[in-house]
Amino acid sequence: MAQTDIRPRIGIVCGSGLGGLANLLKDQVVFNYRDIPNFPQSTVHGHAGRLVFGTLKGRPCVCMQGRFHLYEGYPIQKVSRKMPSMLYHQRHLILTNAAGGLNQDFKVGDIMIMKDHINMPGFAGNNPLSGPNDERFGTRFPCMSDAYDRELQQLAMEVGQELGYGDFLREGVYCVLSGPSFETIAECRMLHRLGADAVGMSTVHEVIVARHCGMRVFALSLITNQAVMDYDSEEKANHEEVLQTGKQRSEQLERLVSTLVTRIEHNNIYA
Ligand SMILES: O=P(O)(O)O[C@@H]1C[C@H](O)[C@@H](CO)O1
């Protein structure tokens, strides 16, 4: 922080292939993760591994161009609790991810506003808040029924409609698995029955920590591929398709996020 005058009010985390968001920032001050002491490294294609400070349409922001995933081998506390600590000092956190569509009404390229999550690793005791609680950050037992800020969801929906995104803007429930293997057909069918609209490998642990710190959270999933749910299907989930869809939709997703950022300030949603 000593190396930049920018004091961000909004933190942004970029999902797979969605790092272009960080390039929108003006007056950039960039730190490569490899140059930050004790910082993990991004090991996944589509995650550049840079912390970018700058202004988005005049609003001071900090952007993680590259996140850490459980499957990269980092302990869950390191992935989510200690490392993006710069982001957790902000009032708002905006997260993006790539996800497989489970909802049969969803199409590849849809943008899903996350209204809730299912934390599968959490069911197995893998929660980022496990371990001693530091009361300076938040309570031992944080509420998660209000994890995704309803005012921000509403605002994003309005922004999306104004931008003409109505045909591909959705809302739904994201289910996180630890990865890195993609899901089996039986797993996808089960997750769908459980109420998940999309499946991915990130975001939820970051959301839990952000809510623990009292941040207001907004998250978007880009449906980069249809989860395979049919034994007759020839489709095979793969990371190349994920990145390709990210490239195709990046411009709209970036416009949605940057307009949302200006509206957060304009509507003075800082309480
Ligand atoms: O960081 P996100 O959640 O966007 O990345 C997704 C999940 C895996 O890391 C990868 C699979 O293609 O994309």
Side-chain angles (χ1 to χ4, degrees):
M1 291 297 281
Q3 294 179 45
T4 170
D5 293 334
I6 294 170
R7 292 292 171 263
R9 308 224 288 227
I10 298 179
I12 301 173
V13 183
C14 302
S16 281
L18 303 172
L21 257 172
N23 299 333
L24 298 181
L25 268 56
K26 299 270 180 311
D27 307 319
Q28 291 191 5
V29 180
V30 179
F31 301 92
N32 290 312
Y33 292 168
R34 65 172 177 274
D35 298 329
I36 306 176
N38 300 319
F39 219 67
Q41 303 308 307
S42 280
T43 63
V44 184
H45 187 208
H47 292 262
R50 301 173 353 133
L51 190 65
V52 182
F53 287 78
T55 55
L56 190 52
K57 299 207 176 153
R59 277 73 176 175
C61 293
V62 55
C63 200
M64 277 186 85
Q65 199 178 30
R67 62 153 53 91
F68 313 115
H69 304 84
L70 290 180
Y71 62 75
E72 291 174 90
Y74 301 116
I76 190 163
Q77 284 81 3
K78 192 163 183 175
V79 163
S80 48
R81 191 154 65 166
K82 183 157 169 260
M83 289 309 141
S85 56
M86 293 84 169
L87 301 195
Y88 296 138
H89 290 127
Q90 320 317 324
R91 189 72 198 95
H92 291 85
L93 187 61
I94 299 177
L95 305 113
T96 64
N97 62 57
L102 296 164
N103 185 321
Q104 297 304 288
D105 294 334
F106 286 4
K107 300 181 299 300
V108 169
D110 283 355
I111 296 176
M112 183 187 87
I113 295 173
M114 281 173 65
K115 66 173 185 189
D116 207 346
H117 69 229
I118 298 174
N119 179 14
M120 280 292 177
F123 291 177
N126 222 347
N127 188 299
L129 302 179
S130 295
N133 185 53
D134 188 336
E135 292 285 334
R136 288 173 302 170
F137 291 104
T139 175
R140 172 78 283 189
F141 302 110
C143 177
M144 284 297 141
S145 58
D146 59 353
Y148 298 87
D149 192 287
R150 297 212 173 95
E151 202 178 344
L152 294 177
Q153 287 176 54
Q154 179 63 33
L155 189 60
M157 206 39 108
E158 285 166 21
V159 168
Q161 295 297 341
E162 284 167 28
L163 292 171
Y165 294 177
D167 283 352
F168 57 89
L169 194 60
R170 313 265 175 253
E171 57 166 30
V173 176
Y174 173 94
C175 179
V176 62
L177 302 184
S178 60
S181 49
F182 286 106
E183 303 69 40
T184 65
I185 292 172
E187 285 164 350
C188 289
R189 289 179 168 198
M190 180 194 77
L191 298 177
H192 183 231
R193 286 196 176 183
L194 288 179
D197 297 294
V199 56
M201 305 177 193
S202 70
T203 307
V204 167
H205 42 285
E206 297 152 351
V207 170
I208 291 172
V209 175
R211 290 301 298 150
H212 180 246
C213 304
M215 295 184 77
R216 295 182 71 168
V217 167
F218 174 77
L220 287 175
S221 296
L222 175 63
I223 306 301
T224 52
N225 54 292
Q226 285 287 7
V228 181
M229 300 180 66
D230 180 352
Y231 286 100
D232 293 331
S233 171
E234 298 285 312
E235 297 290 326
K236 292 185 198 301
N238 63 90
H239 192 52
E240 289 66 39
E241 183 185 6
V242 169
L243 296 180
Q244 186 60 31
T245 310
K247 215 182 261 175
Q248 284 160 1
R249 256 300 177 247
S250 58
E251 210 178 304
Q252 283 106 333
L253 194 130
E254 286 162 16
R255 194 165 305 133
L256 181 61
V257 172
S258 55
T259 313
L260 180 67
V261 166
T262 57
R263 293 292 173 81
I264 288 174
E265 288 241 345
H266 186 258
N267 293 17
N268 206 12
I269 306 184
Y270 276 109

